[in-house]
Amino acid sequence: MRDLVRKYKDFLAVKGVTFDVPEGEIFGFLGPNGAGKSTTIQILATLLKPTEGTAVVNGFDIRNEPDKVRQSIGLVFQDPSLDERLTARENLYFHAMLYNVETTIMKKRMAEVLEMVELADRQKDQVKTFSGGMRRRLEIARGLVHYPKVLFLDEPTVGLDPQTRKRIWEYIHYLRDKEGLTIFLTTHYMDEAENCQRIAVIDHGEIVALDTPENLKSVIGGDVIKISTDNNEEVLPVIKNRLQVKAEKQGDYIAIQVEKGEIFIPRLAVELKGRINSMVIKKPSLDDVFLHLTGREIREEGVNAVDRMRVYSKRKH
Amino acid sequence: MRSMKAVYTIWLRDVLRFMRERSRIVGTLAQPLLYLLIVGTGLSAAFRLPQAPEGFSYLQFMYPGILGMSVLFTSVFSGLSIVWDREFGFLKEVLVAPVPRWSVAVGKALGGSTVAMIQGAVLLLLAPLVGISLTFITILKVFLVLFIIAFSLTSLGITIASRMESMEGFQMIMNFLVMPLFFLSGALFPLKGVAPWMETLMKIDPLTYGVDALRNIIFANNDQGRLFVNFSLSLDLTVICLMALVFIFLGARAFNRQE
């Protein structure tokens, strides 16, 4: 029996994060850019040292046994890390060499992972001829060559088209089922996080919630109806007092929380006869969970933060 | 064992990449040829070396220096290519692997040396063209010296690269480090007869001893050429070996600090 526990506390960008991930789980780290997701992964992968606290990955301590941790994890970075001048196969070969995969197994394993990500027919082509999706698939394959126990995926689907994103998620599920991998990934796509078995919502370096997607959504309590009216200020108290439901202003909209949206809408329409300009009914999503937990939408600071972080991380190295 | 495997892997990658970049091969070979054939031929027509004996041309004097130059440029450049590895992310893949960092630095240094020696080998083929005949043993000795120089200079490149943020600083390194190292090495003009301040600078330049070692070996049986040898071969070898040790140590240390 292996007890997979990861804990660690405190890093400038990450403030006292503690969590456990059992073997064979798909665990997601969800949060806006700059929340500390990548930092956490880098610490767990022993690329950064934690200021305080420690973590145990696959039974090895990240502080005392970094080489054993490295040997037992596969890592797919947020930014590409392939050698474009080398062929797909050579990229895998160099990885296998660096991770000391036995020569006898190497060939079989390389063929296996190439097959898995459907790149076997392109293995002799230089990576510079590959599309973004192919590169990402190759990176996942490379991360698996040395039979890791835990696979870290930092924003695995960022910048990919919807079909490729879907394929990547299929691989992730496949890997968990067939290879028994524990998968730890970060994302800022809410819809993707739902593919995880459990999600830690992280914001400003702190975990604000940790649960299954279903349980997280149930925190919201029912559906959200968003309406815009001819005068939101006037209408808001009407909704609150007459209809006896929770409602609040969100930008140009009024957000109303009700258990069953489709039953509530006719009542609302009658009450606000002629005053409603538009209406949207939303089943709870992780977006709402994030909004509920942090008071902000995850996308708000998206683009700028990405740029800032990219520039920052380039400078830093 | 494991570290050796890593050294081999990093080395192999650099050599493979070099083989694949046709333009780089052509470029690295063209540069010393330009110096040798154009600068060398032109200068030897314009003036004679001071104290030069009859029958000894400037081209012959310059030939060992050009060997040193091509190794200098190629190895420093190979070391600096780490900046690109970092930019394109490949360095991360290497740094996260469960191998000691020094093995990455050593592999890189060996890779750069190999590339520099391939270039040296091509230049050695041209020796008859400038009127220098080499024996097999001489060629082996030249290779050994070229290797030591290349290994230390690639390490120097690695050390610098670890402090560079982008290739934007490349020109500065060329102008303030590589070119002075080259000009002061005695590759183009002899150490004897220059102003005292310059002689001091030339004696500080470690590459001077590399070029001198090459002249020691190449002109071993050439009394005219020996006039331009300044130090004993053992002193030359001691200096360049020390240089190799110091620079690979600095390079490995710089790598250890990378995050």
Side-chain angles (χ1 to χ4, degrees), chain A residues 48 67 70-71 75 77 80-81 83 85-86 90 94-95 97-101 126 142 315 317, chain B residues 2 5 8-9 12-13 16-17 20-21 86 88-90 92-93 95-99 101 259:
Chain A
L48 286 176
D67 275 352
R70 287 168 180 217
Q71 186 69 42
L75 195 52
F77 302 100
S81 64
D83 190 329
R85 296 267 177 185
L86 300 179
E90 284 163 351
F94 286 132
H95 184 91
M97 289 291 285
L98 288 174
Y99 283 79
N100 204 16
V101 178
Q126 286 189 32
R142 184 180 66 180
R315 294 255 159 86
H317 290 300
Chain B
R2 195 167 182 154
K5 211 166 161 180
Y8 167 73
T9 308
L12 183 64
R13 169 185 177 253
L16 258 182
R17 274 180 70 106
R20 217 154 270 175
E21 286 175 71
R86 188 169 358 160
F88 294 110
F90 185 77
K92 228 192 227 173
E93 148 82 359
L95 291 184
V96 79
V99 295
R101 295 278 169 92
E259 285 195 333

Side-chain angles (χ1 to χ4, degrees), chain A residues 2 23-25 148-150 173-183:
Chain A
R2 201 160 43 86
E23 191 181 340
E25 183 172 77
K149 293 280 185 279
V150 188
H173 286 288
Y174 174 88
L175 289 172
R176 199 267 318 271
D177 297 340
K178 289 289 175 337
E179 304 228 339
L181 279 179
T182 306
I183 292 163

Side-chain angles (χ1 to χ4, degrees), chain B residues 25-47:
Chain B
I25 299 179
V26 173
T28 48
L29 293 181
Q31 193 176 29
L33 286 184
L34 276 178
Y35 268 85
L36 198 59
L37 299 181
I38 297 181
V39 179
T41 314
L43 286 183
S44 53
F47 63 80

Side-chain angles (χ1 to χ4, degrees), chain A residues 121-158:
Chain A
D121 53 332
R122 296 292 304 271
Q123 56 176 301
K124 292 198 172 139
D125 294 339
Q126 286 189 32
V127 172
K128 64 180 174 187
T129 65
F130 283 19
S131 70
M134 290 164 74
R135 288 172 193 217
R136 191 43 61 96
R137 271 146 55 198
L138 180 60
E139 284 188 291
I140 293 177
R142 184 180 66 180
L144 297 169
V145 167
H146 61 284
Y147 298 95
K149 293 280 185 279
V150 188
L151 183 64
F152 287 95
L153 300 159
D154 198 358
E155 303 275 359
T157 58
V158 90

Side-chain angles (χ1 to χ4, degrees), chain A residues 162-229:
Chain A
Q163 288 100 313
T164 313
R165 282 167 64 171
K166 201 166 151 265
R167 280 303 284 152
I168 290 201
W169 275 105
E170 285 167 18
Y171 296 135
I172 293 174
H173 286 288
Y174 174 88
L175 289 172
R176 199 267 318 271
D177 297 340
K178 289 289 175 337
E179 304 228 339
L181 279 179
T182 306
I183 292 163
F184 183 104
L185 60 94
T186 71
T187 179
H188 65 275
Y189 294 126
M190 292 291 171
D191 48 335
E192 294 200 337
E194 311 217 4
N195 283 302
C196 302
Q197 282 163 297
R198 282 195 310 150
I199 303 167
V201 181
I202 183 166
D203 189 35
H204 295 306
E206 285 172 291
I207 292 185
V208 289
L210 197 168
D211 216 326
T212 62
E214 292 70 35
N215 287 348
L216 283 176
K217 280 187 280 189
S218 71
V219 174
I220 300 285
D223 302 346
V224 176
I225 298 170
K226 274 184 165 183
I227 58 170
S228 74
T229 63

